[in-house]
Coordinates of all heavy atoms in Angstrom, one line a residue:
V353 N -2.7 3.2 -16.5 CA -2.5 3.0 -15.0 C -3.6 2.2 -14.4 O -4.0 2.4 -13.3 CB -2.4 4.4 -14.3 CG1 -1.1 5.1 -14.6 CG2 -3.6 5.3 -14.6
Y354 N -4.1 1.2 -15.1 CA -5.2 0.3 -14.6 C -4.9 -1.2 -14.6 O -5.6 -1.9 -14.1 CB -6.4 0.6 -15.4 CG -6.3 0.2 -16.9 CD1 -6.7 -1.1 -17.2 CD2 -5.9 1.0 -17.9 CE1 -6.5 -1.6 -18.6 CE2 -5.8 0.6 -19.2 CZ -6.1 -0.7 -19.5 OH -6.0 -1.0 -20.8
H355 N -3.8 -1.6 -15.2 CA -3.5 -3.0 -15.4 C -3.2 -3.7 -14.0 O -3.6 -4.9 -13.8 CB -2.3 -3.2 -16.3 CG -2.7 -2.9 -17.8 ND1 -2.0 -1.9 -18.4 CD2 -3.6 -3.4 -18.6 CE1 -2.5 -1.8 -19.7 NE2 -3.4 -2.7 -19.8
K356 N -2.5 -3.0 -13.1 CA -2.2 -3.5 -11.8 C -2.7 -2.5 -10.7 O -2.7 -1.3 -11.0 CB -0.7 -3.7 -11.7 CG -0.1 -4.8 -12.6 CD 1.4 -4.9 -12.4 CE 1.9 -6.0 -13.3 NZ 3.4 -6.2 -13.1
P357 N -3.1 -3.0 -9.6 CA -3.7 -2.1 -8.6 C -2.7 -1.0 -8.2 O -3.1 0.1 -7.9 CB -3.9 -3.1 -7.4 CG -4.2 -4.4 -8.0 CD -3.3 -4.5 -9.2
G358 N -1.4 -1.3 -8.1 CA -0.4 -0.4 -7.7 C 0.0 0.7 -8.7 O 0.7 1.7 -8.4
D359 N -0.5 0.5 -10.0 CA -0.1 1.4 -11.1 C -0.4 2.8 -10.8 O 0.3 3.7 -11.2 CB -0.7 0.9 -12.4 CG -0.1 -0.3 -13.0 OD1 1.0 -0.7 -12.5 OD2 -0.6 -0.8 -14.0
I360 N -1.6 3.0 -10.1 CA -2.1 4.4 -9.9 C -1.2 5.2 -9.1 O -1.2 6.5 -9.2 CB -3.5 4.3 -9.3 CG1 -4.2 5.7 -9.4 CG2 -3.5 3.8 -7.9 CD1 -4.4 6.3 -10.8
W361 N -0.4 4.6 -8.2 CA 0.6 5.4 -7.5 C 2.1 5.1 -7.9 O 2.9 6.0 -7.8 CB 0.4 5.3 -6.0 CG 0.7 4.0 -5.4 CD1 1.9 3.5 -5.0 CD2 -0.2 2.9 -5.1 NE1 1.9 2.2 -4.5 CE2 0.6 1.8 -4.5 CE3 -1.6 2.8 -5.2 CZ2 0.0 0.6 -4.1 CZ3 -2.2 1.6 -4.8 CH2 -1.4 0.5 -4.3
E362 N 2.3 3.9 -8.2 CA 3.7 3.5 -8.5 C 4.2 4.2 -9.8 O 5.4 4.6 -9.9 CB 3.9 2.0 -8.6 CG 3.7 1.3 -7.3 CD 3.7 -0.2 -7.4 OE1 3.7 -0.7 -8.6 OE2 3.7 -0.9 -6.4
L363 N 3.4 4.3 -10.8 CA 3.8 4.8 -12.1 C 4.0 6.3 -12.1 O 5.1 6.8 -12.5 CB 2.8 4.5 -13.2 CG 2.7 2.9 -13.5 CD1 1.8 2.7 -14.7 CD2 4.0 2.2 -13.7
P364 N 3.1 7.1 -11.5 CA 3.4 8.5 -11.4 C 4.5 8.9 -10.5 O 5.3 9.8 -10.7 CB 2.0 9.1 -10.9 CG 1.3 8.0 -10.3 CD 1.7 6.8 -11.1
E365 N 4.7 8.1 -9.4 CA 5.8 8.3 -8.5 C 7.2 8.1 -9.3 O 8.1 8.9 -9.1 CB 5.8 7.4 -7.3 CG 6.9 7.7 -6.3 CD 6.9 6.7 -5.1 OE1 6.5 5.5 -5.3 OE2 7.3 7.1 -4.0
L366 N 7.2 7.0 -10.0 CA 8.5 6.7 -10.8 C 8.8 7.9 -11.8 O 9.9 8.3 -11.9 CB 8.3 5.4 -11.5 CG 9.5 5.0 -12.4 CD1 10.7 4.8 -11.6 CD2 9.1 3.6 -13.1
I367 N 7.7 8.3 -12.5 CA 7.9 9.4 -13.4 C 8.4 10.7 -12.8 O 9.3 11.3 -13.3 CB 6.6 9.7 -14.2 CG1 6.3 8.5 -15.1 CG2 6.6 11.0 -15.0 CD1 4.8 8.5 -15.7
L368 N 7.9 11.0 -11.6 CA 8.3 12.2 -10.9 C 9.7 12.1 -10.3 O 10.4 13.1 -10.1 CB 7.3 12.5 -9.8 CG 5.9 13.0 -10.2 CD1 5.0 13.1 -9.1 CD2 6.0 14.3 -11.0
E369 N 10.1 10.9 -10.0 CA 11.5 10.7 -9.6 C 12.5 11.0 -10.7 O 13.6 11.5 -10.5 CB 11.7 9.2 -9.1 CG 11.1 8.9 -7.8 CD 11.2 7.4 -7.4 OE1 11.7 6.6 -8.3 OE2 10.8 7.0 -6.3
M370 N 12.1 10.7 -11.9 CA 12.9 11.0 -13.1 C 12.9 12.5 -13.4 O 14.0 13.1 -13.7 CB 12.5 10.2 -14.3 CG 12.6 8.7 -14.1 SD 11.9 7.8 -15.6 CE 11.9 6.1 -15.0
R371 N 11.7 13.1 -13.5 CA 11.6 14.5 -13.8 C 10.5 15.1 -12.9 O 9.3 15.0 -13.2 CB 11.1 14.6 -15.3 CG 12.2 14.3 -16.3 CD 13.3 15.3 -16.4 NE 12.9 16.6 -16.6 CZ 13.3 17.4 -17.6 NH1 14.2 17.0 -18.5 NH2 13.0 18.7 -17.6
P372 N 10.9 15.7 -11.8 CA 10.0 16.3 -10.9 C 9.2 17.4 -11.5 O 8.2 17.9 -10.9 CB 10.9 16.8 -9.7 CG 12.1 16.0 -9.8 CD 12.3 15.8 -11.3
D373 N 9.6 18.0 -12.6 CA 8.9 19.1 -13.2 C 7.8 18.7 -14.1 O 7.1 19.6 -14.7 CB 9.9 20.0 -14.0 CG 10.7 19.2 -15.0 OD1 10.8 18.0 -14.9 OD2 11.2 19.8 -16.0
Y374 N 7.4 17.4 -14.2 CA 6.3 17.0 -15.0 C 5.0 17.5 -14.3 O 4.9 17.5 -13.1 CB 6.2 15.5 -15.1 CG 6.8 14.9 -16.3 CD1 7.8 13.9 -16.2 CD2 6.4 15.3 -17.6 CE1 8.4 13.4 -17.4 CE2 7.0 14.7 -18.8 CZ 8.0 13.8 -18.6 OH 8.6 13.2 -19.7
K375 N 4.0 17.9 -15.1 CA 2.6 18.1 -14.6 C 1.8 16.9 -15.0 O 1.9 16.4 -16.1 CB 2.0 19.4 -15.2 CG 2.7 20.7 -14.8 CD 2.1 21.9 -15.4 CE 2.8 23.2 -15.0 NZ 2.2 24.4 -15.6
L376 N 1.0 16.4 -14.1 CA 0.3 15.2 -14.3 C -1.2 15.4 -14.5 O -1.8 16.3 -13.9 CB 0.5 14.2 -13.1 CG 1.9 13.9 -12.6 CD1 1.9 12.9 -11.5 CD2 2.7 13.3 -13.8
Y377 N -1.8 14.6 -15.4 CA -3.2 14.6 -15.6 C -3.7 13.2 -15.8 O -3.0 12.3 -16.2 CB -3.5 15.4 -16.9 CG -3.0 16.8 -17.0 CD1 -1.7 17.1 -17.4 CD2 -3.9 17.8 -16.6 CE1 -1.3 18.4 -17.4 CE2 -3.5 19.2 -16.7 CZ -2.2 19.4 -17.1 OH -1.7 20.8 -17.1
F378 N -4.9 13.0 -15.3 CA -5.6 11.7 -15.5 C -6.9 11.8 -16.3 O -7.6 12.8 -16.0 CB -5.9 11.0 -14.1 CG -4.7 10.7 -13.3 CD1 -4.1 11.6 -12.4 CD2 -4.1 9.4 -13.4 CE1 -3.0 11.2 -11.7 CE2 -3.0 9.1 -12.7 CZ -2.4 10.0 -11.8
R379 N -7.1 10.9 -17.1 CA -8.4 10.8 -17.9 C -8.8 9.4 -18.0 O -8.0 8.4 -18.0 CB -8.3 11.4 -19.3 CG -8.0 12.9 -19.3 CD -9.2 13.7 -18.7 NE -9.0 15.2 -18.9 CZ -8.4 15.9 -18.0 NH1 -8.0 15.4 -16.8 NH2 -8.4 17.3 -18.2
H380 N -10.2 9.1 -18.1 CA -10.7 7.8 -18.1 C -11.5 7.6 -19.4 O -12.2 8.5 -19.8 CB -11.6 7.6 -16.9 CG -12.2 6.2 -16.8 ND1 -11.4 5.1 -16.4 CD2 -13.4 5.6 -17.1 CE1 -12.1 4.0 -16.5 NE2 -13.3 4.3 -16.9
Y381 N -11.3 6.4 -20.1 CA -11.9 6.2 -21.4 C -12.7 5.0 -21.6 O -12.6 4.3 -22.6 CB -10.7 6.2 -22.4 CG -9.9 7.5 -22.5 CD1 -8.7 7.6 -21.8 CD2 -10.4 8.6 -23.2 CE1 -8.0 8.8 -21.8 CE2 -9.6 9.8 -23.2 CZ -8.5 9.9 -22.5 OH -7.8 11.0 -22.5
S382 N -13.5 4.7 -20.6 CA -14.3 3.4 -20.7 C -15.5 3.5 -19.8 O -15.4 4.2 -18.7 CB -13.4 2.2 -20.4 OG -14.2 1.0 -20.3
D383 N -16.6 2.8 -20.2 CA -17.7 2.7 -19.2 C -17.5 1.4 -18.3 O -18.4 0.9 -17.7 CB -19.0 2.6 -20.0 CG -19.1 1.5 -21.0 OD1 -18.1 0.7 -21.2 OD2 -20.1 1.4 -21.7
R384 N -16.3 0.9 -18.3 CA -15.9 -0.1 -17.4 C -14.7 0.4 -16.6 O -14.3 1.5 -16.6 CB -15.5 -1.4 -18.2 CG -16.7 -2.0 -19.0 CD -16.2 -3.2 -19.8 NE -15.4 -2.7 -20.9 CZ -14.6 -3.5 -21.6 NH1 -14.5 -4.8 -21.3 NH2 -13.9 -3.1 -22.7
S385 N -14.1 -0.5 -15.8 CA -13.0 -0.1 -14.9 C -11.7 0.1 -15.6 O -10.7 0.6 -15.0 CB -12.9 -1.1 -13.7 OG -12.4 -2.4 -14.2
I386 N -11.6 -0.3 -16.9 CA -10.3 -0.3 -17.6 C -10.2 1.1 -18.3 O -11.1 1.9 -18.3 CB -10.2 -1.4 -18.6 CG1 -11.4 -1.3 -19.6 CG2 -10.2 -2.7 -17.9 CD1 -11.3 -2.3 -20.8

Side-chain angles (χ1 to χ4, degrees):
V353 288
Y354 65 89
H355 291 115
K356 295 180 178 179
D359 284 349
I360 190 64
W361 68 84
E362 292 175 352
L363 300 186
E365 182 184 34
L366 179 60
I367 290 167
L368 291 173
E369 286 176 357
M370 297 177 188
R371 289 291 305 234
D373 55 339
Y374 267 124
K375 293 181 179 179
L376 305 183
Y377 301 87
F378 293 90
R379 293 294 187 267
H380 185 73
Y381 299 98
S382 173
D383 55 3
R384 295 175 289 163
S385 64
I386 61 175

